[in-house]
Amino acid sequence: MINLFLLCFLCAPLMCLSSSISGGFSILRDHDSLRKFASEEQVYGLFRLWQKQHRRVYPNPQEEANRFQIFQSNLKHINEMNAKRESPSQSRLGLNKFADLSPEEFREIYLHNVNMAPNTATKFKKDDSCDHDVPASLDWRQKNAVTSVKDQENCKSDWAFSVVGAIEGINAINTGKLIELSAQQLVDCDPKSHGCAGGFYFDAFGWVIDNGGIDTAADYPYTATNGSCQQWKKAVSISALSFIAFGTDDAILCAVAQQPVTTSVNAVDFQFYTGGIYGGDNCDKNSTTATLVVLIVGYGTENGEDYWIVKNTWGQDWGEKGYIRIKRNAGWPYGVCALNFAVGYPTQSTSSSSSSSTSYGAVLQA
């Protein structure tokens, strides 16, 4: 009887867990519920349910045992970080699809050192002024200027998706047509970037300008691999690149109020993010290190805390349906985790869909 009682005691949380998953609400991402799984038996049951939800199958028992150990370690970290939350708006972590990857493996697969423009500091032109009204909040997704969140898979093509996202945005704003553009063409064709090993987003904008445009995703689909460059049709063109270096929150706000913008961020803590406003817990406030290129698509305020709405490329089953909110007006020199360090956004001539021979140019702001 005692053994049966103990078995029921151990299995009860798992039965609830299974019911929650089948009902559409995943307890694996619920930071309050995860703390209830303390014993190794309970955590293993959690691991098995996580495997089922993410259809994870391992080649042998040894690999499964190794992944379970990593899963246990990650759960401990998630619970420790969630316990430090000081407000309901603060970011929370959960057992998402990356829960069986060690932090080192995650960085190797999804992050890369984002190179900045060399020796350009003397060319920056200070301009913090706004010549247009800035609303209190804005979400370009609600204005049909943002395409769906993509999954870069095992290709570090975040830079390419962010660049095409910015071009998609300004083109939709100017023409009223939201056209999904080809990140794969940038992966294959931009000679100054490194394809699935990472890229320099300012150079990628330059390639689109010098090429006279970029193709659609439908005609040049994503493969998540390095391929040979195919020069297809030039569906959408841009005429110039503007960027804000060492930007203030106000200067970037002025830009985002006009269109989605490309930037980079140190994403070392993003692995288990499931929601809330990320405040950069483990980033050096003075660092300019960036490991991921993203797209800012809006901004807002929750419970008195300002944030940016940031589109990522790890699929819609990560974060807030593929997005992360990052703290705005945090008082950091380069924004939270260097988000403000180098922001770029394209401009278009009146003939946005025609071929353009405009040289690669930049308007520099600070």
Side-chain angles (χ1 to χ4, degrees):
M1 290 293 292
I2 293 177
N3 289 340
L4 180 59
F5 174 78
L6 289 175
L7 180 63
C8 291
F9 175 78
L10 290 173
C11 290
L14 301 179
M15 292 171 63
C16 293
L17 176 60
S18 180
S19 175
S20 295
I21 291 175
S22 63
F25 170 72
S26 175
I27 203 169
L28 297 170
R29 296 164 62 91
D30 180 11
H31 65 281
D32 288 327
S33 298
L34 290 178
R35 292 179 303 204
K36 299 175 183 177
F37 296 86
S39 72
E40 186 162 348
E41 292 85 354
Q42 290 174 319
V43 175
Y44 183 70
L46 198 65
F47 176 61
R48 295 290 289 176
L49 287 169
W50 177 89
Q51 282 184 274
K52 181 178 180 181
Q53 185 183 45
H54 294 283
R55 300 178 181 177
R56 193 79 86 245
V57 178
Y58 302 110
N60 53 63
Q62 292 77 18
E63 179 64 14
E64 181 170 320
N66 178 50
R67 291 298 150 188
F68 175 57
Q69 293 299 318
I70 292 172
F71 183 91
Q72 277 187 300
S73 177
N74 287 339
L75 176 60
K76 180 181 178 182
H77 168 74
I78 287 167
N79 283 335
E80 288 174 349
M81 295 303 295
N82 284 335
K84 296 179 180 178
R85 295 174 71 242
E86 297 177 351
S87 74
S89 298
Q90 194 170 337
S91 64
R92 52 193 177 273
L93 309 184
L95 291 169
N96 60 18
K97 63 182 179 180
F98 301 134
D100 68 341
L101 294 176
S102 70
E104 295 76 19
E105 289 172 323
F106 178 79
R107 288 194 289 268
E108 178 65 26
I109 296 170
Y110 292 98
L111 305 182
H112 58 97
N113 291 326
V114 179
N115 297 320
M116 299 300 167
N119 303 319
T120 56
T122 58
K123 299 179 182 179
F124 295 147
K125 177 182 178 182
K126 185 172 178 60
D127 183 7
D128 289 329
S129 61
C130 254
D131 58 1
H132 54 268
D133 293 332
V134 176
S137 63
L138 179 67
D139 188 341
W140 285 111
R141 295 174 296 182
Q142 299 174 357
K143 298 178 180 294
N144 198 36
V146 183
T147 59
S148 63
V149 170
K150 309 304 186 297
D151 191 341
Q152 68 189 56
E153 303 177 42
N154 291 344
C155 173
K156 299 174 184 178
S157 54
D158 48 286
W159 59 277
F161 279 111
S162 179
V163 167
V164 298
I167 299 172
E168 290 165 349
I170 189 60
N171 188 66
I173 292 166
N174 287 340
T175 68
K177 298 178 181 178
L178 182 59
I179 302 172
E180 193 169 296
L181 300 175
S182 176
Q184 188 65 45
Q185 190 175 28
L186 288 179
V187 170
D188 293 349
C189 299
D190 178 15
K192 295 184 179 179
S193 294
H194 306 289
C196 284
F200 182 38
Y201 49 109
F202 291 159
D203 281 330
F205 279 118
W207 183 88
V208 175
I209 294 169
D210 291 340
N211 187 56
I214 188 168
D215 204 349
T216 65
D219 287 340
Y220 202 136
Y222 186 63
T223 64
T225 58
N226 292 320
S228 59
C229 182
Q230 305 295 320
Q231 295 288 345
W232 295 92
K233 68 181 181 182
K234 299 166 184 178
V236 174
S237 66
I238 55 175
S239 55
L241 167 68
S242 297
F243 66 92
I244 305 169
F246 315 135
T248 64
D249 285 288
D250 286 344
I252 297 169
L253 187 72
C254 185
V256 177
Q258 294 290 95
Q259 64 192 93
V261 305
T262 293
T263 191
S264 53
V265 64
N266 189 354
V268 68
D269 271 352
F270 286 13
Q271 182 174 355
F272 308 114
Y273 171 84
T274 57
I277 302 172
Y278 175 72
D281 297 327
N282 293 318
C283 287
D284 182 345
K285 288 186 177 182
N286 295 304
S287 174
T288 58
T289 297
T291 58
L292 182 73
V293 185
V294 292
L295 187 72
I296 302 178
V297 302
Y299 56 88
T301 303
E302 180 177 289
N303 296 328
E305 191 164 358
D306 298 332
Y307 60 82
W308 300 109
I309 305 169
V310 178
K311 183 183 182 184
N312 199 359
T313 52
W314 295 343
Q316 297 179 30
D317 52 354
W318 173 87
E320 296 182 333
K321 297 183 178 179
Y323 290 83
I324 181 172
R325 287 180 292 157
I326 298 179
K327 189 171 183 178
R328 178 168 57 93
N329 294 326
W332 294 29
Y334 308 110
V336 168
C337 295
L339 188 73
N340 298 11
F341 183 64
V343 175
Y345 53 98
T347 56
Q348 283 186 319
S349 62
T350 53
S351 56
S352 60
S353 296
S354 64
S355 177
S356 171
S357 60
T358 307
S359 297
Y360 177 24
V363 177
L364 305 177
Q365 299 177 327

